[in-house]
Amino acid sequence: MTITLLFGKNIKRLRLSQVLSQDALAEKAGLHRTYIGAVERGERNITLINAEKIANALGISLVDCLKELEEDTED
């Protein structure tokens, strides 16, 4: 998995865990909704400045946005 996909997947997971829409997260971060969507899909090579804006809007550290989580493989 590329770093952009990992970051995007984590942002989406964290956003949904806080019951935030892309619009709400974008507003909190000072970014556009379509930009948040592209980041979540791993389509943007995001800058550290914007990554930090998103992390701050979610109330988490930037490091937490880059952590790989072990996916549960049991059914």
Side-chain angles (χ1 to χ4, degrees):
M1 180 180 310
T2 66
I3 191 79
T4 54
L5 285 173
L6 173 65
F7 184 83
K9 185 176 182 179
N10 283 337
I11 292 303
K12 184 174 183 177
R13 177 181 53 78
L14 292 162
R15 175 180 62 80
L16 292 175
S17 74
Q18 294 183 29
V19 194
L20 287 173
S21 66
Q22 287 180 345
D23 283 326
L25 177 57
E27 186 174 324
K28 287 179 78 169
L31 300 168
H32 196 275
R33 174 193 54 80
T34 59
Y35 184 80
I36 297 293
V39 167
E40 288 184 354
R41 292 187 300 275
E43 297 172 353
R44 299 300 299 241
N45 188 10
I46 189 170
T47 66
L48 288 173
I49 292 168
N50 285 343
E52 184 178 44
K53 286 180 183 180
I54 293 170
N56 289 341
L58 290 169
I60 58 171
S61 74
L62 186 52
V63 172
D64 289 335
C65 297
L66 298 170
K67 289 183 179 176
E68 287 195 56
L69 298 177
E70 292 184 26
E71 296 195 6
D72 190 35
T73 58
E74 295 180 276
D75 292 6

